[in-house]
Amino acid sequence: MTLAQKVSLTAQQLPIDAHDGAAGYLAGIPSLCLPDLVFNDAGAGVGDGQINTTAFPDPIVQASTWDPQLDYAFGQALGAEAHAKGIDVQLAPGIETDRIPENGRNWEYMSEDPYLSGQIGAAEVRGIQSQHVIVTLKHFIANSQETDRGASGPPVDSADLSLRTLEELYAPQYDVAIHQGGAMGVMCAYNRINSIYACQNPETLKGVLLHQFGFPGFVVSDWGATHSTVPSALNGLDIEMNVSPGTYFGAALQRAVQSGAVPMRVLDSMVLRILRAEFAVGVVNDPPAAQPAAYAADVSTPDHIALARQISEEGSVLFKNADGILPLTAADRRIALIGTDAGPAGADLVYNAEGSGRVPEFGTNPAVVSPLTALTRRAAASGDTVLYADGSSLLDAETVARTASVAIVVVGNSESEGVDEPNLSFNGDTCTLIGVCVPPTVAPDALVSAVEAANPNTIVVLDTGEPVLMPWLAGAKALLEAFYPGQQDGVALASLLYGDVDPSGHLTETWPASQAAQPIQTAAQWPGVDRPGDPLGPHSAYSEGIFVGYRWYQAHHVRPQFPFGYGLSYTTFGLSHLVVRTRRRSDAATVSLAVTNTGTRPGAEVVQLYVHDPANTGEPPEQLKGFRRVFLDPGQSQTVTLRLTPVSFAHWSDRRRTWIVTPGRYGIAVGDSSAHLPLRRTIRRRWARLSPRAY
Ligand code: NOJ
């Protein structure tokens, strides 16, 4: 390859007319049989300006299924649609840790727990790349907030954290997605880490990702997250993406190589990483569909739409079901359906959150089936009628609710990339562009309270991506969180409400009981404070350290509103016969137990396994190290076996710069949420020093 050919692979080409609808592309080299590398967003389907693709539920729903097999199927569908659309790099999955409940992009990430994010993320990676489309894990790393994200220059927030915090809470999911999933692309983030930009950070990019994990693929910058030529190239960035053509790479990189500031072997290694990803995933052997036909193609299929529905059904979380009001029975003859997020058809429903992860990024999506449409159809099949009020008038809402036997109120918040929520209050905003959000005419809290006052049988359905405070919770008979359910919104909701499927989603994030009772308590933690002498932006101190999410609640004995891992079903389950086997010669352990459906309806349970390290390790009380989703018919029982590996018992030592196991007694706790762990044993572990690449 000539020098010009090599640098051409390192920077975005503009204009992107050749690939309408995509986020950006690198021009291929036809004489070397290298196709264009076309990048497209991704979290809930093939998004950006693409048309005729399936809008799947958002990543938080995908994770709330606790079902890696389903997420593999989702990845396959996503990869297939991308390939048929002429795309060979999907800008997903987002696997950062949900540190702050108000973070504007938690819906696009998976969980506050890195083990869960790693398992779900790795499954999605395998699915996408099976279709010869490269993934990009994002946004590497400690990308926990949108305030001062620095997408178009300062202020750029700095995430200030210790190596132990980074290794234990923010990095494991990348290790798993790379080594178990085979991910060949990583996107470095907008933020800084300990004052240094993520896309030129020697400690995180070169140290953790490249050296510690041995990541073999390419690193691409978030759009506009490149801030230099030489430090970026030397510290592990391979591709600059931007809204303008290569500012720091491309021609500027060519000059740096010619002057000797960037050695040729560094450029060769960048090119090798890009080409290795292309060959390993199959992009060169099986390039995606050609333009312009691909842009117009309808790539959504009945199977993909059914999958979107299944993810929404499995990922919705039932929080409350007093008096068994759900599922709806034949006695529910007149059903009041209330709320802007309930319909009518063609309304701008909150089916995906706002941002580059939305499908499509702009405008309404005609494929979305509203709750009003789907529930009316489903109710008719049971001889029921649906009365609708859009919730813009309290009087109308009360009138409709009063005349019905049951009132269902659907309230949502469309969160957006680019902005955090100011607090946990339920504002009910609708966002139409990144960061452009408007409040509703009637606030959701007022609407729900009015409906509850008018009808004692009120069922609340939420469409939010983050926890919200619910002052009206005691007055609601049932509460179902559908998050951002994708285009099968109403269809999935109707089948859950009628019990055609059993709710089985479990929370991947803790829901605080109040603004004060949660891990993030100071402005220094979030959104960060300025530091004298640093003109680039504020600093967010990760002073809670490894006590993120449920780890903090349990350590501080604070009761959340709803705990991590929680979710109800229409049936009941029993867990019993816990057996923990350790082998003398190995540091692994096998945990098995029986799960029984003790109720009268078919349903799925999510068995969760937590490990309790000895107190002198300084670790949080309990940490998720295994899980399994099990579907059972009434009366049916199944033995579940979960494997623990040496790293399940390890913590990071900053002094030794690796994983160590402290000798002592370790607790094994099994249950169906972080707050309900009825089966317990302890086992002994010996001292061990593990490899830094332990996952
Ligand atoms: C910025 C977002 O942060 C990133 O997630 C996305 O992939 C790029 N824009 C491209 O749209």
Side-chain angles (χ1 to χ4, degrees):
M1 295 174 77
T2 64
L3 176 58
Q5 282 176 331
K6 290 178 189 174
V7 295
S8 76
L9 292 183
T10 65
Q12 150 91 324
Q13 301 293 309
L14 284 172
I16 67 162
D17 307 359
H19 295 284
D20 252 359
Y25 83 105
L26 302 179
I29 306 175
S31 62
L32 298 176
C33 301
L34 296 177
D36 289 358
L37 217 46
V38 184
F39 295 72
N40 208 93
D41 289 284
V46 179
D48 294 326
Q50 305 293 345
I51 54 170
N52 302 329
T53 64
T54 309
F56 290 90
D58 277 350
I60 190 164
V61 192
Q62 299 156 22
S64 299
T65 65
W66 297 60
D67 189 348
Q69 269 175 324
L70 189 64
D71 287 293
Y72 175 79
F74 164 67
Q76 272 186 317
L78 194 62
E81 291 199 9
H83 196 266
K85 276 284 169 192
I87 293 153
D88 33 28
V89 184
Q90 274 289 79
L91 301 170
I95 55 172
E96 280 289 305
T97 297
D98 295 340
R99 169 179 179 247
I100 299 154
E102 291 94 339
N103 175 34
R105 282 183 106 170
N106 281 357
W107 53 270
E108 204 174 348
Y109 293 143
M110 296 185 169
S111 176
E112 68 190 25
D113 185 274
Y115 178 81
L116 180 58
S117 303
Q119 297 303 314
I120 300 290
E124 186 181 332
V125 167
R126 282 194 294 270
I128 295 175
Q129 292 195 163
S130 75
Q131 303 303 303
H132 305 157
V133 172
I134 303 167
V135 300
T136 49
L137 308 175
K138 66 192 194 181
H139 306 84
F140 193 80
I141 192 169
N143 181 245
S144 307
Q145 66 182 62
E146 292 299 281
T147 307
D148 298 325
R149 76 167 176 162
S152 46
V156 188
D157 188 67
S158 172
D160 291 355
L161 72 175
S162 72
L163 186 57
R164 179 173 179 179
T165 299
L166 185 99
E167 292 282 358
E168 292 193 11
L169 261 294
Y170 298 90
Q173 59 266 52
Y174 286 94
D175 197 351
V176 171
I178 290 164
H179 291 115
Q180 289 178 26
M184 288 303 280
V186 167
M187 181 188 287
C188 52
Y190 284 129
N191 56 281
R192 298 180 291 153
I193 303 113
N194 296 326
S195 302
I196 301 176
Y197 287 118
C199 291
Q200 61 185 65
N201 195 301
E203 191 164 18
T204 54
L205 209 51
K206 196 171 179 183
V208 175
L209 185 68
L210 302 187
H211 288 166
Q212 183 184 330
F213 295 167
F215 172 58
F218 63 71
V219 177
V220 54
S221 75
D222 200 341
W223 271 232
T226 312
H227 294 277
S228 66
T229 301
V230 179
S232 298
L234 297 184
N235 288 316
L237 179 67
D238 303 309
I239 301 169
E240 175 192 14
M241 291 307 264
N242 213 329
V243 279
S244 52
T247 310
Y248 297 105
F249 282 9
L253 183 60
Q254 181 161 349
R255 287 193 295 278
V257 172
Q258 281 161 337
S259 77
V262 173
M264 183 63 88
R265 65 178 162 72
V266 170
L267 177 62
D268 283 346
S269 138
M270 294 161 71
V271 171
L272 176 62
R273 288 174 171 283
I274 299 164
L275 296 184
R276 187 192 277 138
E278 292 191 33
F279 279 96
V281 176
V283 163
V284 179
N285 283 358
D286 180 21
Q291 299 297 0
Y295 177 73
D298 186 347
V299 300
S300 184
T301 68
D303 282 355
H304 294 177
I305 294 168
L307 185 61
R309 169 182 175 167
Q310 191 185 348
I311 296 168
S312 176
E313 289 169 349
E314 282 195 21
S316 297
V317 179
L318 182 64
F319 284 134
K320 180 176 178 182
N321 193 15
D323 307 333
I325 188 171
L326 287 175
L328 298 174
T329 64
D332 304 308
R333 289 280 169 235
R334 286 166 67 81
I335 299 169
L337 181 66
I338 298 159
T340 332
D341 285 325
D348 196 4
L349 301 174
V350 186
Y351 66 94
N352 282 155
E354 186 53 50
S356 49
R358 187 172 186 269
V359 181
E361 186 171 355
F362 307 107
T364 52
N365 184 334
V368 177
V369 183
S370 79
L372 179 57
T373 304
L375 196 67
T376 304
R377 198 187 307 140
R378 179 60 187 82
S382 291
D384 299 341
T385 47
V386 173
L387 318 162
Y388 176 67
D390 72 7
S392 61
S393 146
L394 281 182
L395 194 62
D396 289 355
E398 284 161 352
T399 309
V400 166
R402 202 165 290 126
T403 57
S405 40
V406 60
I408 300 167
V409 53
V410 185
V411 275
N413 234 16
S414 108
E415 284 136 19
S416 170
E417 176 182 333
V419 284
D420 291 330
E421 295 293 314
N423 50 48
L424 296 173
S425 296
F426 194 172
N427 56 35
D429 282 1
T430 304
C431 307
T432 45
L433 287 173
I434 289 182
V436 180
C437 305
V438 290
T441 22
V442 174
D445 288 346
L447 181 62
V448 176
S449 301
V451 174
E452 284 177 354
N455 192 317
N457 293 322
T458 294
I459 295 160
V460 182
V461 177
L462 298 176
D463 283 325
T464 75
E466 298 154 0
V468 288
L469 299 177
M470 298 169 288
W472 37 259
L473 181 58
K477 275 268 167 77
L479 179 65
L480 179 74
E481 169 64 280
F483 302 105
Y484 300 128
Q487 71 178 56
Q488 287 284 283
D489 181 351
V491 182
L493 181 62
S495 65
L496 286 164
L497 293 174
Y498 269 91
D500 303 333
V501 291
D502 184 59
S504 57
H506 284 246
L507 279 183
T508 65
E509 202 185 342
T510 310
W511 278 47
S514 72
Q515 186 68 45
Q518 50 121 341
I520 306 299
Q521 301 189 331
T522 66
Q525 287 173 289
W526 171 77
V529 291
D530 287 333
R531 176 184 287 178
D534 184 350
L536 288 181
H539 288 248
S540 294
Y542 284 40
S543 50
E544 72 288 346
I546 55 180
F547 295 88
V548 171
Y550 68 91
R551 291 164 164 83
W552 181 89
Y553 289 85
Q554 294 186 337
H556 293 267
H557 306 288
V558 174
R559 247 182 108 96
Q561 185 71 64
F562 298 113
F564 173 83
Y566 173 79
L568 299 174
S569 151
Y570 295 150
T571 188
T572 50
F573 298 94
L575 306 179
S576 61
H577 300 88
L578 179 67
V579 178
V580 181
R581 285 199 187 84
T582 52
R583 271 190 227 106
R584 199 172 271 270
R585 299 284 222 59
S586 137
D587 290 325
T590 309
V591 177
S592 64
L593 67 144
V595 192
T596 309
N597 182 341
T598 52
T600 54
R601 307 175 65 90
E605 172 69 309
V606 175
V607 177
Q608 301 162 39
L609 161 58
Y610 295 78
V611 172
H612 174 90
D613 291 4
N616 64 354
T617 59
E619 288 294 295
E622 259 135 12
Q623 307 194 69
L624 183 75
K625 300 293 175 182
F627 65 88
R628 181 77 46 78
R629 187 177 190 281
V630 196
F631 181 87
L632 296 168
D633 284 322
Q636 197 189 353
S637 214
Q638 191 179 313
T639 303
V640 167
T641 303
L642 301 166
R643 277 185 58 76
L644 294 170
T645 61
V647 78
S648 312
F649 305 100
H651 65 274
W652 181 266
S653 162
D654 276 348
R655 190 163 66 82
R656 293 189 164 84
R657 295 184 83 84
T658 195
W659 297 98
I660 59 167
V661 180
T662 295
R665 294 195 83 81
Y666 285 72
I668 308 282
V670 181
D672 60 4
S673 91
S674 59
H676 181 243
L677 299 168
L679 304 183
R680 289 174 184 270
R681 292 281 184 285
T682 58
I683 58 170
R684 284 202 167 279
R685 300 280 85 178
R686 302 172 302 190
W687 154 261
R689 180 195 176 115
L690 311 179
S691 153
R693 210 185 289 176
Y695 279 92

